Amino acid sequence: MEVIISPTPDEAGKLAADAISELLQRNPEAVLGVATGSSPLIIYDELGRRVAQGSLSLAKTRAFMLDEYVGLSADHPQRYRNVIQDEFVDKVDIDPAQVSGPDGLAVDLSSACEAYERAISDAGGVDLQILGIGTDGHIAFNEPGSSLASRTRIKTLTGQTRRDNARFFSGDIEAVPQHCLTQGIGTILQARHIVLVASGRGKAEAVHQLVEGPVSAMWPATALQLHPHVTVLLDTAAASRLQLASYFIETYQGKPSWQGF
Ligand code: F6R
């Protein structure tokens, strides 16, 4: 696990965009995994700038979303497919038809989850997965107690996550759906490279557990310790509880320039 601590969230976002640019230079048809929420917005903005400048193209990529609320109407602005459209697809040159997410409006949700797993695997798997982290240590919507081997399935959101996400629903926790479909931790661990971004003091405990805690379903993000290629991009506030912070800073300062991500 590589941990990079930047002075600001913007710096961390630029590094994530660098990792994506490096990948797409090697393989323009790479498959991206995209997250919603606040954390990746700096990445999508930066990718948008690079596409507008002509230094990057996502025209040949495919993208798979991590999760989706169950039951939000097709035109609901907080439906994750719509959020991804506004925050990512509309800013870059990816073909919208090549962006997929779990179907939170399916009549048969279990079959929709199985179909989503098949779609990811038929696409050859995810090359680079962007992740955020919840204050309770969730990745995608794998809440504490989730199986570390789980696959895409229906989950119930915790009260904490619904409170955290109420800000997207005019502060109304009751408007935040109780259920979601989410890639499982086992699904996420199959991505070839995982890039997790976190900023702000509110994430510091979850980040400490992710990087330095014991692997445990109580902090689902700790499963990433089992993955061979994870990059954790933090601002100083999110890194403020790391015991190894100065080691990570030294390591990054001394990183050979040829090494890349
Ligand atoms: C979103 C997702 C969630 C968020 C997490 C952090 O697709 O899967 O795990 O990444 O809740 O959200 P923000 O970035 O809004 O703090």
Side-chain angles (χ1 to χ4, degrees):
M1 183 178 282
E2 179 176 29
V3 180
I4 303 176
I5 303 170
S6 301
T8 64
D10 281 0
E11 286 300 311
K14 280 199 186 111
L15 290 173
D18 288 347
I20 293 165
S21 301
E22 269 183 24
L23 168 68
L24 294 181
Q25 243 161 29
R26 286 197 306 276
N27 176 14
E29 293 178 12
V31 178
L32 298 179
V34 288
T36 40
S38 313
S39 309
L41 298 182
I42 40 179
I43 308 175
Y44 303 146
D45 288 345
E46 181 61 23
L47 292 176
R49 270 191 289 277
R50 293 179 193 194
V51 169
Q53 285 161 3
S55 59
L56 176 71
S57 175
L58 281 75
K60 295 184 177 164
T61 63
R62 294 197 59 173
F64 286 92
M65 293 163 47
L66 281 173
D67 40 21
E68 181 60 273
Y69 289 117
V70 168
L72 287 189
S73 62
D75 61 351
H76 195 293
Q78 287 309 320
R79 183 174 173 242
Y80 274 178
R81 182 61 186 81
N82 297 334
V83 173
I84 279 293
Q85 183 70 35
D86 294 346
E87 303 292 0
F88 170 65
V89 179
D90 288 350
K91 291 177 183 164
V92 296
D93 58 347
I94 193 168
D95 176 356
Q98 296 299 329
V99 180
S100 315
D103 182 1
L105 286 171
V107 178
D108 181 346
L109 291 169
S110 300
S111 300
C113 292
E114 282 167 28
Y116 196 58
E117 285 278 334
R118 271 196 307 279
I120 296 173
S121 120
D122 290 350
V126 170
D127 291 298
L128 187 153
Q129 176 66 56
I130 299 167
L131 283 186
I133 184 170
T135 55
D136 62 2
H138 70 227
I139 48 172
F141 275 142
N142 294 284
E143 298 284 28
S146 292
S147 156
L148 302 186
S150 48
R151 312 300 306 191
T152 304
R153 68 212 182 291
I154 187 165
K155 283 293 288 182
T156 302
L157 296 175
T158 60
Q160 179 64 51
T161 299
R162 292 178 78 213
R163 270 192 298 283
D164 287 347
N165 286 6
R167 69 191 192 280
F168 298 116
F169 292 81
S170 314
D172 179 7
I173 184 176
E174 293 307 321
V176 183
Q178 205 182 357
H179 297 107
C180 64
L181 302 185
T182 180
Q183 285 191 32
I185 296 175
T187 320
I188 293 168
L189 289 177
Q190 278 184 325
R192 286 178 268 280
H193 181 195
I194 294 174
V195 176
L196 183 144
V197 278
S199 59
R201 197 164 285 271
K203 300 290 173 72
E205 175 63 18
V207 165
H208 161 59
Q209 294 292 338
L210 150 69
V211 178
E212 299 172 336
V215 174
S216 159
M218 278 305 286
W219 292 93
T222 59
L224 299 180
Q225 292 176 22
L226 302 170
H227 191 285
H229 192 186
V230 176
T231 307
V232 178
L233 300 170
L234 307 172
D235 71 347
T236 29
S240 59
R241 290 225 47 222
L242 289 180
Q243 289 164 22
L244 296 175
S246 46
Y247 169 67
F248 294 133
I249 291 167
E250 256 168 52
T251 304
Y252 186 60
Q253 280 168 351
K255 182 174 172 167
S257 56
W258 47 263
Q259 206 172 29
F261 291 96

PDB file of all heavy atoms in Angstrom, residues 138-159:
ATOM      1  N   HIS A 138     -16.493   2.468   5.535  1.00  0.00           N
ATOM      2  CA  HIS A 138     -17.038   1.725   4.392  1.00  0.00           C
ATOM      3  C   HIS A 138     -16.306   2.089   3.109  1.00  0.00           C
ATOM      4  O   HIS A 138     -15.789   3.201   2.961  1.00  0.00           O
ATOM      5  CB  HIS A 138     -18.562   1.912   4.256  1.00  0.00           C
ATOM      6  CG  HIS A 138     -19.029   3.263   3.838  1.00  0.00           C
ATOM      7  ND1 HIS A 138     -20.042   3.940   4.463  1.00  0.00           N
ATOM      8  CD2 HIS A 138     -18.651   4.083   2.820  1.00  0.00           C
ATOM      9  CE1 HIS A 138     -20.272   5.089   3.867  1.00  0.00           C
ATOM     10  NE2 HIS A 138     -19.429   5.198   2.861  1.00  0.00           N
ATOM     11  N   ILE A 139     -16.247   1.122   2.204  1.00  0.00           N
ATOM     12  CA  ILE A 139     -15.819   1.386   0.822  1.00  0.00           C
ATOM     13  C   ILE A 139     -16.970   0.927  -0.061  1.00  0.00           C
ATOM     14  O   ILE A 139     -17.607  -0.077   0.230  1.00  0.00           O
ATOM     15  CB  ILE A 139     -14.487   0.691   0.438  1.00  0.00           C
ATOM     16  CG1 ILE A 139     -14.472  -0.776   0.833  1.00  0.00           C
ATOM     17  CG2 ILE A 139     -13.315   1.457   1.023  1.00  0.00           C
ATOM     18  CD1 ILE A 139     -13.252  -1.542   0.308  1.00  0.00           C
ATOM     19  N   ALA A 140     -17.220   1.658  -1.146  1.00  0.00           N
ATOM     20  CA  ALA A 140     -18.505   1.561  -1.824  1.00  0.00           C
ATOM     21  C   ALA A 140     -19.547   1.654  -0.702  1.00  0.00           C
ATOM     22  O   ALA A 140     -19.369   2.460   0.220  1.00  0.00           O
ATOM     23  CB  ALA A 140     -18.615   0.306  -2.668  1.00  0.00           C
ATOM     24  N   PHE A 141     -20.578   0.820  -0.698  1.00  0.00           N
ATOM     25  CA  PHE A 141     -21.506   0.879   0.441  1.00  0.00           C
ATOM     26  C   PHE A 141     -21.390  -0.388   1.279  1.00  0.00           C
ATOM     27  O   PHE A 141     -22.373  -0.890   1.816  1.00  0.00           O
ATOM     28  CB  PHE A 141     -22.933   1.133  -0.034  1.00  0.00           C
ATOM     29  CG  PHE A 141     -23.256   2.601  -0.228  1.00  0.00           C
ATOM     30  CD1 PHE A 141     -24.057   3.012  -1.288  1.00  0.00           C
ATOM     31  CD2 PHE A 141     -22.778   3.576   0.647  1.00  0.00           C
ATOM     32  CE1 PHE A 141     -24.379   4.358  -1.467  1.00  0.00           C
ATOM     33  CE2 PHE A 141     -23.090   4.926   0.477  1.00  0.00           C
ATOM     34  CZ  PHE A 141     -23.885   5.317  -0.578  1.00  0.00           C
ATOM     35  N   ASN A 142     -20.176  -0.910   1.392  1.00  0.00           N
ATOM     36  CA  ASN A 142     -19.936  -2.057   2.258  1.00  0.00           C
ATOM     37  C   ASN A 142     -19.757  -1.533   3.678  1.00  0.00           C
ATOM     38  O   ASN A 142     -18.669  -1.073   4.062  1.00  0.00           O
ATOM     39  CB  ASN A 142     -18.698  -2.821   1.783  1.00  0.00           C
ATOM     40  CG  ASN A 142     -18.933  -3.451   0.427  1.00  0.00           C
ATOM     41  OD1 ASN A 142     -19.621  -4.469   0.320  1.00  0.00           O
ATOM     42  ND2 ASN A 142     -18.425  -2.810  -0.621  1.00  0.00           N
ATOM     43  N   GLU A 143     -20.831  -1.598   4.414  1.00  0.00           N
ATOM     44  CA  GLU A 143     -20.852  -1.049   5.766  1.00  0.00           C
ATOM     45  C   GLU A 143     -20.144  -1.991   6.742  1.00  0.00           C
ATOM     46  O   GLU A 143     -19.900  -3.163   6.403  1.00  0.00           O
ATOM     47  CB  GLU A 143     -22.315  -0.846   6.203  1.00  0.00           C
ATOM     48  CG  GLU A 143     -23.095   0.152   5.341  1.00  0.00           C
ATOM     49  CD  GLU A 143     -22.725   1.612   5.636  1.00  0.00           C
ATOM     50  OE1 GLU A 143     -21.602   1.897   6.065  1.00  0.00           O
ATOM     51  OE2 GLU A 143     -23.600   2.473   5.421  1.00  0.00           O
ATOM     52  N   PRO A 144     -19.801  -1.502   7.947  1.00  0.00           N
ATOM     53  CA  PRO A 144     -19.169  -2.379   8.936  1.00  0.00           C
ATOM     54  C   PRO A 144     -19.960  -3.678   9.092  1.00  0.00           C
ATOM     55  O   PRO A 144     -21.200  -3.670   9.132  1.00  0.00           O
ATOM     56  CB  PRO A 144     -19.206  -1.535  10.214  1.00  0.00           C
ATOM     57  CG  PRO A 144     -19.152  -0.125   9.714  1.00  0.00           C
ATOM     58  CD  PRO A 144     -19.956  -0.123   8.437  1.00  0.00           C
ATOM     59  N   GLY A 145     -19.228  -4.782   9.162  1.00  0.00           N
ATOM     60  CA  GLY A 145     -19.864  -6.103   9.262  1.00  0.00           C
ATOM     61  C   GLY A 145     -19.987  -6.793   7.920  1.00  0.00           C
ATOM     62  O   GLY A 145     -20.360  -7.964   7.856  1.00  0.00           O
ATOM     63  N   SER A 146     -19.669  -6.075   6.835  1.00  0.00           N
ATOM     64  CA  SER A 146     -19.760  -6.689   5.497  1.00  0.00           C
ATOM     65  C   SER A 146     -18.732  -7.801   5.360  1.00  0.00           C
ATOM     66  O   SER A 146     -17.603  -7.677   5.851  1.00  0.00           O
ATOM     67  CB  SER A 146     -19.462  -5.645   4.409  1.00  0.00           C
ATOM     68  OG  SER A 146     -20.468  -4.678   4.348  1.00  0.00           O
ATOM     69  N   SER A 147     -19.107  -8.842   4.654  1.00  0.00           N
ATOM     70  CA  SER A 147     -18.143  -9.915   4.365  1.00  0.00           C
ATOM     71  C   SER A 147     -16.997  -9.358   3.530  1.00  0.00           C
ATOM     72  O   SER A 147     -17.224  -8.627   2.558  1.00  0.00           O
ATOM     73  CB  SER A 147     -18.838 -11.032   3.582  1.00  0.00           C
ATOM     74  OG  SER A 147     -17.876 -11.763   2.844  1.00  0.00           O
ATOM     75  N   LEU A 148     -15.789  -9.727   3.901  1.00  0.00           N
ATOM     76  CA  LEU A 148     -14.633  -9.251   3.139  1.00  0.00           C
ATOM     77  C   LEU A 148     -14.538  -9.974   1.790  1.00  0.00           C
ATOM     78  O   LEU A 148     -13.706  -9.626   0.965  1.00  0.00           O
ATOM     79  CB  LEU A 148     -13.348  -9.431   3.954  1.00  0.00           C
ATOM     80  CG  LEU A 148     -13.322  -8.711   5.320  1.00  0.00           C
ATOM     81  CD1 LEU A 148     -11.958  -8.826   5.983  1.00  0.00           C
ATOM     82  CD2 LEU A 148     -13.720  -7.242   5.210  1.00  0.00           C
ATOM     83  N   ALA A 149     -15.377 -10.992   1.586  1.00  0.00           N
ATOM     84  CA  ALA A 149     -15.404 -11.720   0.308  1.00  0.00           C
ATOM     85  C   ALA A 149     -16.668 -11.399  -0.484  1.00  0.00           C
ATOM     86  O   ALA A 149     -16.964 -12.052  -1.482  1.00  0.00           O
ATOM     87  CB  ALA A 149     -15.332 -13.218   0.565  1.00  0.00           C
ATOM     88  N   SER A 150     -17.421 -10.374  -0.059  1.00  0.00           N
ATOM     89  CA  SER A 150     -18.748 -10.130  -0.652  1.00  0.00           C
ATOM     90  C   SER A 150     -18.667  -9.729  -2.117  1.00  0.00           C
ATOM     91  O   SER A 150     -17.660  -9.179  -2.580  1.00  0.00           O
ATOM     92  CB  SER A 150     -19.472  -9.036   0.151  1.00  0.00           C
ATOM     93  OG  SER A 150     -18.617  -7.928   0.356  1.00  0.00           O
ATOM     94  N   ARG A 151     -19.767  -9.995  -2.820  1.00  0.00           N
ATOM     95  CA  ARG A 151     -19.923  -9.588  -4.226  1.00  0.00           C
ATOM     96  C   ARG A 151     -21.069  -8.573  -4.289  1.00  0.00           C
ATOM     97  O   ARG A 151     -21.696  -8.267  -3.269  1.00  0.00           O
ATOM     98  CB  ARG A 151     -20.269 -10.805  -5.112  1.00  0.00           C
ATOM     99  CG  ARG A 151     -19.411 -12.030  -4.918  1.00  0.00           C
ATOM    100  CD  ARG A 151     -17.933 -11.842  -5.183  1.00  0.00           C
ATOM    101  NE  ARG A 151     -17.634 -11.284  -6.478  1.00  0.00           N
ATOM    102  CZ  ARG A 151     -16.385 -11.237  -6.990  1.00  0.00           C
ATOM    103  NH1 ARG A 151     -15.344 -11.709  -6.292  1.00  0.00           N
ATOM    104  NH2 ARG A 151     -16.168 -10.704  -8.165  1.00  0.00           N
ATOM    105  N   THR A 152     -21.369  -8.084  -5.480  1.00  0.00           N
ATOM    106  CA  THR A 152     -22.443  -7.092  -5.634  1.00  0.00           C
ATOM    107  C   THR A 152     -23.766  -7.638  -5.070  1.00  0.00           C
ATOM    108  O   THR A 152     -24.163  -8.754  -5.387  1.00  0.00           O
ATOM    109  CB  THR A 152     -22.626  -6.731  -7.122  1.00  0.00           C
ATOM    110  OG1 THR A 152     -21.374  -6.277  -7.633  1.00  0.00           O
ATOM    111  CG2 THR A 152     -23.677  -5.647  -7.296  1.00  0.00           C
ATOM    112  N   ARG A 153     -24.389  -6.825  -4.228  1.00  0.00           N
ATOM    113  CA  ARG A 153     -25.607  -7.281  -3.543  1.00  0.00           C
ATOM    114  C   ARG A 153     -26.343  -6.078  -2.952  1.00  0.00           C
ATOM    115  O   ARG A 153     -25.823  -4.963  -2.968  1.00  0.00           O
ATOM    116  CB  ARG A 153     -25.248  -8.253  -2.412  1.00  0.00           C
ATOM    117  CG  ARG A 153     -24.505  -7.523  -1.278  1.00  0.00           C
ATOM    118  CD  ARG A 153     -23.532  -8.447  -0.619  1.00  0.00           C
ATOM    119  NE  ARG A 153     -22.839  -7.814   0.499  1.00  0.00           N
ATOM    120  CZ  ARG A 153     -21.943  -6.839   0.381  1.00  0.00           C
ATOM    121  NH1 ARG A 153     -21.667  -6.268  -0.775  1.00  0.00           N
ATOM    122  NH2 ARG A 153     -21.344  -6.356   1.445  1.00  0.00           N
ATOM    123  N   ILE A 154     -27.502  -6.359  -2.367  1.00  0.00           N
ATOM    124  CA  ILE A 154     -28.256  -5.293  -1.702  1.00  0.00           C
ATOM    125  C   ILE A 154     -27.705  -5.125  -0.282  1.00  0.00           C
ATOM    126  O   ILE A 154     -27.330  -6.112   0.365  1.00  0.00           O
ATOM    127  CB  ILE A 154     -29.772  -5.608  -1.701  1.00  0.00           C
ATOM    128  CG1 ILE A 154     -30.560  -4.403  -1.160  1.00  0.00           C
ATOM    129  CG2 ILE A 154     -30.085  -6.867  -0.927  1.00  0.00           C
ATOM    130  CD1 ILE A 154     -32.056  -4.491  -1.465  1.00  0.00           C
ATOM    131  N   LYS A 155     -27.565  -3.882   0.175  1.00  0.00           N
ATOM    132  CA  LYS A 155     -27.131  -3.609   1.548  1.00  0.00           C
ATOM    133  C   LYS A 155     -28.056  -2.575   2.181  1.00  0.00           C
ATOM    134  O   LYS A 155     -28.686  -1.781   1.482  1.00  0.00           O
ATOM    135  CB  LYS A 155     -25.716  -3.011   1.573  1.00  0.00           C
ATOM    136  CG  LYS A 155     -24.589  -3.980   1.352  1.00  0.00           C
ATOM    137  CD  LYS A 155     -24.396  -5.006   2.457  1.00  0.00           C
ATOM    138  CE  LYS A 155     -23.809  -4.435   3.743  1.00  0.00           C
ATOM    139  NZ  LYS A 155     -23.604  -5.509   4.762  1.00  0.00           N
ATOM    140  N   THR A 156     -28.092  -2.580   3.495  1.00  0.00           N
ATOM    141  CA  THR A 156     -28.815  -1.557   4.249  1.00  0.00           C
ATOM    142  C   THR A 156     -27.793  -0.535   4.730  1.00  0.00           C
ATOM    143  O   THR A 156     -26.785  -0.914   5.329  1.00  0.00           O
ATOM    144  CB  THR A 156     -29.519  -2.197   5.463  1.00  0.00           C
ATOM    145  OG1 THR A 156     -30.393  -3.220   4.979  1.00  0.00           O
ATOM    146  CG2 THR A 156     -30.320  -1.171   6.248  1.00  0.00           C
ATOM    147  N   LEU A 157     -28.047   0.730   4.470  1.00  0.00           N
ATOM    148  CA  LEU A 157     -27.112   1.775   4.906  1.00  0.00           C
ATOM    149  C   LEU A 157     -27.222   1.985   6.413  1.00  0.00           C
ATOM    150  O   LEU A 157     -28.319   1.891   6.981  1.00  0.00           O
ATOM    151  CB  LEU A 157     -27.408   3.090   4.182  1.00  0.00           C
ATOM    152  CG  LEU A 157     -27.206   3.041   2.672  1.00  0.00           C
ATOM    153  CD1 LEU A 157     -27.643   4.353   2.032  1.00  0.00           C
ATOM    154  CD2 LEU A 157     -25.754   2.762   2.328  1.00  0.00           C
ATOM    155  N   THR A 158     -26.108   2.280   7.055  1.00  0.00           N
ATOM    156  CA  THR A 158     -26.137   2.579   8.493  1.00  0.00           C
ATOM    157  C   THR A 158     -26.721   3.978   8.709  1.00  0.00           C
ATOM    158  O   THR A 158     -26.727   4.823   7.798  1.00  0.00           O
ATOM    159  CB  THR A 158     -24.716   2.560   9.096  1.00  0.00           C
ATOM    160  OG1 THR A 158     -23.935   3.557   8.428  1.00  0.00           O
ATOM    161  CG2 THR A 158     -24.058   1.201   8.968  1.00  0.00           C
ATOM    162  N   GLY A 159     -27.157   4.222   9.932  1.00  0.00           N
ATOM    163  CA  GLY A 159     -27.645   5.556  10.302  1.00  0.00           C
ATOM    164  C   GLY A 159     -26.547   6.594  10.074  1.00  0.00           C
ATOM    165  O   GLY A 159     -26.814   7.703   9.597  1.00  0.00           O
TER     166      GLY A 159
END
